[in-house]
Amino acid sequence: MKIFDIPGFPNPLRVRIVLAEKRMNAQVEFIKVDLPAAEHKQPAFLALNPLGTVPVLQLEDGTNISECTAITEYLDNLDGNPILTGSTPKEKAVIHMMQKRAESELADPVGIYFHHATPGLGAALQPYKSPDWEGRVDWGNRQRERAIDGMKYFDHLLRNQPYIAGDAFSMADITVFAGLLFAGFASIDIPVECTALSAWQTKVQQRPSVKNPA
Ligand code: GTS
């Protein structure tokens, strides 16, 4: 299997933590995509993922799978022992619900803020951003507020349970963790009152897969 990504970036990190949790590092070859040079917006990469985002998992038969959730589902089920996406119908449903919230309420707003209300990854990517309509920066800044609301939501949740989807670590934790990392890059701080979220972040940072992702 091949993974097209760039090390150190938040969404690639999600899959790299999954690989470490599953001890599958050796099964994957990484191919670096130069995001600041807009390589992911060129025809060769768009043939892999027309949405122009990393990571992309390429299977031996040439199938290309984008979206971290889909990639995680595939990798987690490959060995018949899903530990991150749930085993029972109820576990799967709750994890997917929380995964969606982790993306829509935190990771995605942070990404929109970073790419559209700040210089983002630099000049080469400006032509590929949303149309230069008046208000784009206001819209981006609104996403920053949404991300902070998302942090408050997850903080509230973690006051009553150890992990984002309940009692067990799951892909939803990985997504919230990467979302907070991205927020840090974008200078969006966790509100001081979100002590449960900060304590959870410290706990997740201790996991071997997070300390040493693929
Ligand atoms: N929903 C996608 C997923 O789950 O894979 C998001 C992927 C994504 O936005 N990736 C970013 C990207 O390719 C990389 S990261 O910096 O967010 O980690 N962005 C390129 C761009 O130009 O927006």
Side-chain angles (χ1 to χ4, degrees), residues 86-136:
S87 298
T88 68
K90 179 178 160 183
E91 284 170 4
K92 286 175 181 292
V94 171
I95 290 169
H96 271 275
M97 175 177 74
M98 298 314 297
Q99 171 79 339
K100 178 65 182 173
R101 290 182 192 172
E103 290 187 335
S104 67
E105 306 307 305
L106 180 61
D108 292 349
V110 170
I112 294 170
Y113 167 73
F114 176 74
H115 287 293
H116 297 282
T118 80
L121 292 176
L125 284 168
Q126 296 305 320
Y128 303 98
K129 294 190 176 175
S130 60
D132 196 15
W133 49 276
E134 221 177 298
R136 193 187 78 187

Side-chain angles (χ1 to χ4, degrees), residues 53-200:
T53 59
V54 293
V56 172
L57 170 69
Q58 187 173 73
L59 307 184
E60 300 299 335
D61 70 359
T63 303
N64 293 306
I65 301 174
S66 61
E67 296 301 323
C68 292
T69 304
I71 296 170
T72 302
E73 277 288 346
Y74 181 82
L75 296 173
D76 197 29
N77 285 285
L78 204 52
D79 60 2
N81 178 33
I83 54 171
L84 298 170
T85 57
S87 298
T88 68
K90 179 178 160 183
E91 284 170 4
K92 286 175 181 292
V94 171
I95 290 169
H96 271 275
M97 175 177 74
M98 298 314 297
Q99 171 79 339
K100 178 65 182 173
R101 290 182 192 172
E103 290 187 335
S104 67
E105 306 307 305
L106 180 61
D108 292 349
V110 170
I112 294 170
Y113 167 73
F114 176 74
H115 287 293
H116 297 282
T118 80
L121 292 176
L125 284 168
Q126 296 305 320
Y128 303 98
K129 294 190 176 175
S130 60
D132 196 15
W133 49 276
E134 221 177 298
R136 193 187 78 187
V137 171
D138 285 349
W139 168 73
N141 282 328
R142 171 70 190 118
Q143 304 308 309
R144 188 181 194 284
E145 292 166 24
R146 287 194 58 223
I148 292 170
D149 286 345
M151 291 176 186
K152 291 177 182 169
Y153 164 72
F154 289 115
D155 176 69
H156 183 73
L157 189 82
L158 289 164
R159 289 180 186 272
N160 296 308
Q161 61 193 55
Y163 292 106
I164 299 294
D167 290 334
F169 182 81
S170 75
M171 70 170 166
D173 292 280
I174 297 173
T175 305
V176 172
F177 184 82
L180 291 180
L181 183 83
F182 203 170
F185 292 161
S187 300
I188 308 175
D189 293 335
I190 299 176
V192 283
E193 69 269 26
C194 291
T195 52
L197 182 63
S198 293
W200 166 91

